[in-house]
């Protein structure tokens, strides 16, 4: 498979692994109707750290990702800002990426790579799907990068989206009216929709349903001379001439054969039929056999077309929505929510988690709420947006004043029975931060420790018992964390005999994994008590073998 080379690729390729996990801290003052949030989250922060922070809880659980990253047009004023230790990449940090920047594609690809890798880890491994909006500036590069990250076999389609009608003042006189939506999916993703077909049940075919299908084909008599004949109903003698634009789909010879088999229906055959020319009869059993062969199910399926329906709207519709909600166009080029709603309509169902890590004006959240309202579903959204200042309104912080505000206004305007929690990316959970004395609260650290120990997210957060250092159970193992977010207290904590005894009596026969700053028990005692000790913070990045 051809792969794309770009400056910094070898440095960046595994960068997502060294990005430290961070805490996610809930801001109760910025959530909205939290009693109706049902898991909806707006996360304020850089999406690189935010996605990594979401990983312990949401890794492998997201059904659908939609992202609309900066397109690298040279006009977005985006800045490469990732904390990479390489001197080559450090030179790029903090400088705006403009049109004439000779490394603009390299920078953009270095920015996208670790984010796409984390997004891939968040997707459901069996049937997750990702849609990425992009225009001609980076489409070709992105396609090759995605082939490498998601796998060429996961490529579904490049869906064209018409964003506007033609402009006249454009270079070369060609108006680029199309943007693309790259789609990649895991092996069991299926977008096709079940087709409700109406069958007739009549006495002449007992126990067998049938439907009608067109008996003509879009060919002229010159192209298909053998199918250009006048069809005669053998029962009534009525003649049905061929059409000059569409001849019959059968030849004279095959007509006779099909008629004998009952495959041709004439207008006079049944009183309840309202047809004016002969039609083709398709039996229900034929449809089922065909569907079974093609899709492994007897249900008839209609494929989703890459030709998007008109109702998905264009950029002007997204702008109009923003203007109506805010009274002015506070955000440029918001996607119409109808576009994202359409993508979600064929890719998600009740209960699915939908993620947008370049949330902008929050269109994806709006689309999720609208679709839920329409079909009674219970999908959840996770949006991530950087708290940067808006170009258009420099006094506005995009995440708080635009993304959050858009969601609130949409909920009120459309009467959605919905709400969301507001989270912020907090401090890094790495050795350096701990050693510097910045200690995370017990619960986020406990959740993270559980993820380190098991590779799974802790579903029952309520079960965390900080007083007894209990984090959670995984199979036949109990995980404990001897920890306190007060440095003076932490320095006094260790796994000693009393604590080990208390854990042992709580955990019965289960194996114990105990994270603690120090251990006063020797190897023999630990083994006798079936306790595995893991030192914090130095072993923070070591996943238990086999977990
Ligand atoms: C093209 S806009 C998305 C527009 C969105 N689809 C809508 O309909 O409103 C891209 C957004 O991603 C945000 N963004 C860019 N880099 C980011 C990062 N590293 N972390 C989080 N957000 C980021 C920008 O602030 C901007 O709001």
């Amino acid at each position: 498979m051809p792969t794309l080379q770009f400056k910094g690729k070898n440095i960046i390729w595994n960068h997502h692994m060294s990005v430290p996990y961070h805490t996610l801290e809930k801001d109760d003052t910025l959530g909205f109707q939290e009693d109706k949030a049902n898991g909806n989250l707006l996360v304020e922060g850089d999406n690189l750290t935010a996605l990594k922070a979401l990983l312990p809880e949401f890794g492998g659980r997201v059904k659908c990702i939609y992202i609309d990253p900066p397109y690298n047009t040279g006009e977005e004023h985006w800045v490469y800002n990732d904390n990479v230790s390489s001197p080559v990449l450090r030179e790029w940090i903090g400088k705006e990426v403009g049109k004439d920047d000779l490394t603009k594609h390299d920078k953009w690809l270095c920015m996208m790579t670790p984010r796409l890798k984390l997004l891939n880890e968040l997707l459901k491994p069996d049937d997750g799907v990702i849609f990425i909006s992009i225009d001609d500036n980076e489409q070709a590069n992105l396609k090759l990068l995605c082939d490498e990250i998601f796998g060429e076999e996961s490529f579904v389609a490049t869906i064209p989206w018409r964003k506007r009608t033609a402009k006249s003042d454009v270079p070369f006189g060609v108006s680029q009216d199309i943007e693309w939506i790259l789609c990649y999916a895991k092996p069991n993703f299926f977008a096709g929709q079940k087709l409700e077909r109406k069958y007739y049940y009549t006495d002449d075919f007992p126990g067998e349903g049938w439907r009608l299908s067109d008996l003509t084909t879009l060919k002229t008599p010159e192209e298909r001379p053998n199918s250009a004949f006048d069809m005669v109903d053998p029962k009534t003698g009525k003649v049905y001439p061929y059409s000059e634009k569409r001849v019959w789909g059968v030849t004279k010879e095959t007509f006779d054969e099909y008629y004998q088999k009952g495959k041709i229906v004439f207008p006079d055959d049944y009183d309840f039929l309202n047809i004016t020319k002969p039609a083709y009869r398709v039996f229900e059993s034929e449809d089922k056999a065909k569907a079974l062969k093609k899709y492994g199910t007897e249900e008839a399926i209609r494929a989703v077309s890459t030709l998007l329906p008109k109702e998905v709207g264009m950029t002007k519709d997204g702008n109009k929505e923003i203007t109506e909600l805010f009274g002015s166009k506070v955000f440029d080029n918001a996607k119409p929510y109808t576009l994202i709603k359409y993508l979600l309509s064929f890719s998600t169902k009740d209960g699915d988690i939908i993620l947008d890590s370049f949330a902008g004006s929050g269109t994806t959240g709006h689309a999720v709420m609208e679709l839920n309202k329409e079909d009674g579903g219970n999908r959840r959204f996770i949006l991530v947006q950087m708290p940067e200042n808006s170009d258009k309104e420099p006094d506005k912080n995009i995440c708080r004043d635009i993304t959050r505000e858009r969601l609130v206004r949409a909920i009120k305007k459309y009467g959605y029975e919905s709400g969301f929690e507001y989270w912020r990316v907090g401090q890094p959970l790495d050795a350096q931060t701990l050693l510097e004395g910045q200690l995370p609260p017990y619960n986020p650290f406990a959740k993270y420790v559980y993820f380190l120990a098991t590779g799974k997210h802790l579903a029952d957060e309520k079960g965390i018992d900080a007083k007894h250092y209990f984090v959670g159970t995984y199979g036949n193992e109990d995980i404990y964390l001897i920890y306190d977010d007060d440095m003076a207290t932490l320095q006094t904590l260790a796994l000693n005999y009393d604590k080990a005894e208390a854990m042992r009596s709580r955990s019965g026969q289960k194996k114990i994994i105990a994270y603690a700053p120090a251990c006063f028990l020797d190897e023999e005692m630990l083994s006798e008590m079936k306790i595995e000790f893991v030192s914090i913070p130095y072993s923070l990045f070591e996943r238990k073998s086999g977990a």
Side-chain angles (χ1 to χ4, degrees):
M1 183 179 88
T3 53
L4 184 69
Q5 275 312 322
F6 53 92
K7 194 172 176 182
K9 182 177 182 183
N10 55 344
I11 299 162
I12 209 72
W13 201 246
N14 287 319
H15 176 56
H16 64 293
M17 291 182 180
S18 61
V19 173
Y21 288 92
H22 283 62
T23 56
L24 286 169
E25 287 154 20
K26 187 162 170 283
D27 185 331
D28 293 327
T29 63
L30 291 175
F32 183 71
Q33 296 189 169
E34 288 192 11
D35 53 324
K36 296 182 189 164
N38 186 37
N40 291 336
L41 306 176
L42 172 56
V43 183
E44 176 190 297
D46 186 304
N47 52 19
L48 185 60
T49 42
L51 292 175
K52 186 88 182 225
L54 288 165
L55 211 50
E57 187 156 352
F58 295 101
R61 295 176 61 206
V62 175
K63 174 68 209 272
C64 178
I65 294 171
Y66 170 80
I67 54 168
D68 182 13
Y71 288 178
N72 216 13
T73 57
E75 278 153 19
E76 293 123 334
H77 311 294
W78 79 274
V79 171
Y80 183 83
N81 247 340
D82 292 347
N83 186 16
V84 182
S85 53
S86 140
V88 182
L89 270 63
R90 289 203 79 82
E91 265 187 29
W92 295 350
I93 292 178
K95 293 175 196 144
E96 210 170 280
V97 182
K99 240 188 174 62
D100 302 325
D101 184 334
L102 295 179
T103 53
K104 68 177 182 188
H105 295 294
D106 308 85
K107 286 175 180 158
W108 190 84
L109 290 160
C110 281
M111 182 275 286
M112 288 301 287
T113 297
R115 289 166 174 83
L116 291 173
K117 289 204 167 201
L118 290 171
L119 289 170
N120 194 26
E121 288 187 36
L122 285 155
L123 271 186
K124 283 179 78 189
D126 53 340
D127 62 355
V129 58
I130 179 166
F131 298 99
I132 310 174
S133 277
I134 201 71
D135 77 359
D136 285 320
N137 284 290
E138 295 292 358
Q139 185 277 338
N141 289 333
L142 181 64
K143 168 74 174 59
L144 286 178
L145 183 66
C146 287
D147 280 349
E148 211 171 331
I149 291 177
F150 299 107
E152 208 181 2
E153 69 290 351
S154 304
F155 173 67
V156 177
T158 302
I159 303 170
W161 172 59
R162 181 161 200 188
K163 65 176 172 182
R164 66 178 183 211
T165 44
K167 264 180 140 185
S168 50
D169 56 338
V170 284
F172 307 108
V174 175
S175 176
Q176 292 174 319
D177 299 336
I178 301 288
E179 283 184 10
W180 312 102
I181 302 171
L182 286 190
C183 177
Y184 284 76
K186 300 294 177 186
N188 295 332
F189 170 74
F190 191 72
Q193 307 291 295
K194 281 183 194 156
L195 211 55
E196 291 299 325
R197 279 182 167 147
K198 188 170 168 268
Y199 293 100
Y200 301 110
Y201 296 90
T202 49
D203 293 342
D204 46 352
F205 295 99
E208 175 75 302
W210 54 268
R211 65 182 174 87
L212 293 182
S213 164
D214 193 357
L215 187 57
T216 64
T217 183
L218 188 61
K219 297 282 174 201
T220 61
E222 288 70 37
E223 291 171 300
R224 289 271 175 89
N226 292 347
S227 296
F229 64 96
D230 291 340
M231 201 175 272
V232 181
D233 182 344
K235 291 191 283 302
T236 63
K238 270 191 198 166
V239 179
Y240 298 91
Y242 64 87
S243 145
E244 290 294 334
K245 286 188 187 146
R246 297 180 66 97
V247 296
W248 301 115
V250 288
T251 63
K252 179 78 186 70
E253 290 69 39
T254 48
F255 165 77
D256 292 334
E257 184 192 330
Y258 281 19
Y259 185 75
Q260 292 310 321
K261 287 183 181 162
K263 299 285 289 176
I264 312 282
V265 180
F266 282 94
D268 293 325
D269 286 354
Y270 302 96
D271 289 342
F272 59 84
L273 286 182
N274 195 12
I275 53 173
T276 54
K277 57 179 191 279
Y280 187 70
R281 191 194 317 263
V282 183
F283 291 106
E284 193 175 357
S285 54
E286 292 175 307
D287 277 340
K288 284 187 171 170
K290 220 166 158 183
L292 190 65
K293 192 162 169 222
K294 205 163 172 189
Y295 304 112
T297 157
E298 289 195 335
E299 311 254 19
I301 307 273
R302 188 205 308 272
V304 171
S305 173
T306 53
L307 197 63
L308 297 174
K310 258 208 162 100
E311 63 263 25
V312 301
M314 294 193 270
T315 302
K316 66 178 169 50
D317 300 297
N319 289 338
K320 187 166 167 248
E321 181 66 35
I322 292 293
T323 309
E324 278 176 14
L325 284 170
F326 285 88
S328 66
K329 203 174 105 188
V330 293
F331 192 88
D332 275 335
N333 299 325
K335 293 284 183 284
Y337 74 85
T338 37
L339 170 66
I340 301 173
K341 187 183 99 176
Y342 178 74
L343 300 176
L344 299 177
S345 72
F346 65 75
S347 60
T348 66
K349 58 176 175 19
D350 193 16
D352 283 342
I353 300 176
I354 292 127
L355 168 68
D356 181 346
S357 56
F358 290 92
S361 66
T363 309
T364 300
H366 187 164
V368 169
M369 295 190 288
E370 176 65 25
L371 188 58
N372 279 346
K373 184 177 179 187
E374 203 172 281
D375 69 4
N378 215 358
R379 298 168 187 82
R380 307 165 52 175
F381 63 76
I382 303 174
L383 307 182
V384 182
Q385 171 59 44
M386 212 146 65
E388 64 183 343
N389 286 343
S390 153
D391 280 345
K392 274 188 87 84
E393 316 235 346
D395 58 323
K396 281 199 173 13
N397 164 314
I398 298 184
C399 192
R400 248 164 287 170
D401 302 327
I402 296 180
T403 324
R404 176 188 178 277
E405 193 56 34
R406 183 329 174 31
L407 296 173
V408 170
R409 289 179 188 220
I411 290 171
K412 289 182 181 164
K413 177 176 172 187
Y414 295 98
Y416 299 133
E417 282 300 310
S418 196
F420 57 89
E421 292 179 11
Y422 194 100
W423 290 6
R424 196 171 283 115
V425 177
Q427 66 197 90
L429 288 165
D430 60 356
Q432 191 184 339
T433 315
L434 292 184
L435 290 169
E436 281 169 359
Q438 298 175 47
L439 301 175
Y442 191 90
N443 272 26
F445 195 33
K447 276 163 67 180
Y448 170 61
V449 158
Y450 185 89
F451 176 66
L452 287 180
T454 66
K456 300 274 179 258
H457 94 275
L458 178 59
D460 178 22
E461 199 187 326
K462 290 197 184 81
I464 296 175
D465 178 0
K467 202 164 156 227
H468 299 100
Y469 306 119
F470 178 74
V471 176
T473 301
Y474 180 65
N476 199 30
E477 291 172 350
D478 273 353
I479 291 114
Y480 288 83
L481 170 66
I482 298 174
Y483 170 80
D484 195 290
D485 60 8
D486 172 65
M487 183 51 100
T489 313
L490 184 63
Q491 280 166 344
T492 67
L493 289 178
L495 175 60
N496 56 21
Y497 187 76
D498 288 349
K499 289 197 176 64
E501 266 283 294
M503 290 174 187
R504 195 60 291 148
S505 64
R506 178 186 178 120
S507 291
Q509 289 306 305
K510 289 206 185 82
K511 182 180 167 192
I512 288 170
I513 302 174
Y515 284 75
C519 177
F520 296 160
L521 304 179
D522 61 20
E523 285 295 326
E524 208 181 324
M525 179 68 85
L526 285 171
S527 143
E528 213 170 90
M529 297 182 85
K530 283 210 287 181
I531 296 177
E532 182 182 326
F533 162 68
V534 187
S535 158
I536 56 170
Y538 300 103
S539 307
L540 226 45
F541 301 107
E542 283 171 18
R543 186 90 54 93
K544 183 171 66 77
S545 58

